[in-house]
Amino acid sequence: MNKITIIGAGRVGETTAQILAEEELCREIALFDVREGVPEGIALDILQMAPFFEFDCVISGSNDPRILGDSELVIVTAGLPRKPGMSRSDVLEANVRIIDTVTDEIMRYAPNAIVLMVSNPVDALTYRVARRTGWNRSRVLGQAGVLDASRMASFIAQETGFSALDITTMVLGGHGDTMVPVPRYCTINGIPITQFISEERIAAIMERTRQGGAEILALRKNSSAYDAPGAAVATMVDAIVNNRRRLLSCVALLEGEYGETDLAMGVPCVLGEKGMESIVEVDLSARERADFDRSASSVRADIQRLRDIA
């Protein structure tokens, strides 16, 4: 890929840019932010890492939205972060106004780009961007399940002592307190985790996964997570840029899958050069289906709030 633009030069945006540069996933990285001097400073700082990490992509920053020009992929991290005690939905009203402006700039300057949403609440805001642009759903997706699955895998590694490299997990639903970890599809090198972990401990890991972001926020106090989210975004970018057709849980606009329409939430997706190329429907037990439906209802409530704001 030639050019990727990151909108929002906060901590997630900065970490994402750093990883993309180190992995050389494109020839040019642009950072856009409304704060004067901030994107330029971050771009310069990352650029000066190049001799150490041996990359040579071009990195620039600007307060001018025209920097989006010719972008093939736009990553949106802009918006107000939540504070301790807040849910992701609590920042909806403030962030939707920011995202509407951002979306209009993308449509104006990068009309052919794929859009990867990170800003919270990511399910509702991915839906907003998809509807505002009117683009094919393959071109508008959100990051959620990749991060949540990584958190769950790290907790399983801590619990069992096995390498995180051998752990595969699946988390569906909205990116919030009602997310749906599915331990039935979680394995350690192909072996179900139930062979190594008791039901009680699995339930505890599922709940800790749901609260993974809040746990970090409560500990840090002045910052949400940004290292793991940046890595999650880079994983999705790698799948798209290199046309890997990886099966990853992402926020996608549903058109009948899982019995849902006019809704965006986390489901297993195939990511390739066209973006979100297809959705994979997995079998869910009655309990898993009930949890999924509850999560869908929570996301629908946020989407209804979007309509009320509009």
Side-chain angles (χ1 to χ4, degrees):
M1 185 167 286
N2 185 48
K3 182 177 180 181
I4 295 174
T5 296
I6 300 170
I7 299 180
R11 285 173 168 169
V12 174
E14 180 175 357
T15 301
T16 299
Q18 179 180 329
I19 297 173
L20 296 185
E22 290 177 17
E23 297 296 324
E24 293 191 304
L25 291 176
C26 59
R27 290 296 308 137
E28 180 180 355
I29 298 171
L31 286 158
F32 170 69
D33 196 288
V34 296
R35 295 171 296 166
E36 186 175 351
V38 170
E40 294 93 332
I42 290 173
L44 188 58
D45 195 15
I46 296 174
L47 193 61
Q48 291 170 3
M49 295 169 52
F52 300 113
F53 291 95
E54 299 181 341
F55 61 82
D56 63 357
C57 63
V58 176
I59 307 170
S60 60
S62 178
N63 308 128
D64 188 336
R66 284 178 293 184
I67 198 173
L68 276 80
D70 298 323
S71 298
E72 296 166 77
L73 174 64
V74 176
I75 302 165
V76 181
T77 69
L80 298 179
R82 58 178 176 153
K83 297 178 180 178
M86 295 175 67
S87 72
R88 294 176 178 88
S89 295
D90 289 338
V91 294
L92 175 61
E93 186 167 349
N95 282 349
V96 69
R97 304 187 191 285
I98 296 170
I99 295 307
D100 281 353
T101 300
V102 163
T103 303
D104 293 344
E105 300 291 10
I106 295 171
M107 293 172 67
R108 181 178 180 183
Y109 294 109
N112 299 312
I114 295 168
V115 179
L116 174 50
M117 292 297 299
V118 184
S119 308
N120 278 316
V122 68
D123 305 278
L125 294 180
T126 300
Y127 175 90
R128 181 74 161 203
V129 173
R131 291 304 186 216
R132 194 172 182 89
T133 60
W135 293 351
N136 187 289
R137 66 174 180 167
S138 64
R139 293 175 56 198
V140 182
L141 65 158
Q143 187 284 120
V146 177
L147 172 60
D148 298 327
S150 176
R151 285 173 170 159
M152 188 175 186
S154 72
F155 298 149
I156 291 171
Q158 290 175 1
E159 179 74 20
T160 62
F162 288 119
S163 170
L165 298 178
D166 289 334
I167 299 173
T168 301
T169 54
M170 180 180 291
V171 181
L172 308 178
H175 184 53
D177 297 343
T178 63
M179 69 178 68
V180 187
V182 189
R184 196 159 54 89
Y185 289 108
C186 299
T187 64
I188 302 175
N189 206 12
I191 301 173
I193 62 169
T194 51
Q195 185 159 329
F196 306 102
I197 312 174
S198 69
E199 268 190 43
E200 180 182 2
R201 291 304 303 154
I202 290 174
I205 288 171
M206 291 170 64
E207 182 57 28
R208 192 178 181 192
T209 299
R210 295 187 185 99
Q211 302 301 325
E215 181 180 0
I216 291 171
L217 180 59
L219 290 167
R220 278 185 159 162
K221 297 180 176 61
N222 64 347
S223 170
S224 299
Y226 52 88
D227 289 322
V233 174
T235 295
M236 295 175 69
V237 172
D238 174 72
I240 294 169
V241 167
N242 291 303
N243 193 28
R244 296 194 189 280
R245 295 185 55 78
R246 290 196 65 185
L247 184 59
L248 299 169
S249 184
C250 311
V251 180
L253 193 67
L254 301 181
E255 297 176 350
E257 296 87 0
Y258 294 91
E260 299 287 351
T261 57
D262 198 34
L263 182 72
M265 62 189 299
V267 290
C269 299
V270 177
L271 296 193
E273 63 184 355
K274 296 178 181 178
M276 193 286 294
E277 298 191 350
S278 63
I279 293 172
V280 175
E281 294 188 70
V282 297
D283 292 330
L284 298 176
S285 68
R287 174 62 184 274
E288 291 160 354
R289 182 73 220 196
D291 289 344
F292 186 89
D293 290 343
R294 182 167 63 94
S295 190
S297 296
S298 178
V299 175
R300 283 193 185 283
D302 277 347
I303 290 174
Q304 184 57 53
R305 287 176 60 202
L306 280 178
R307 296 192 180 107
D308 294 341
I309 292 169

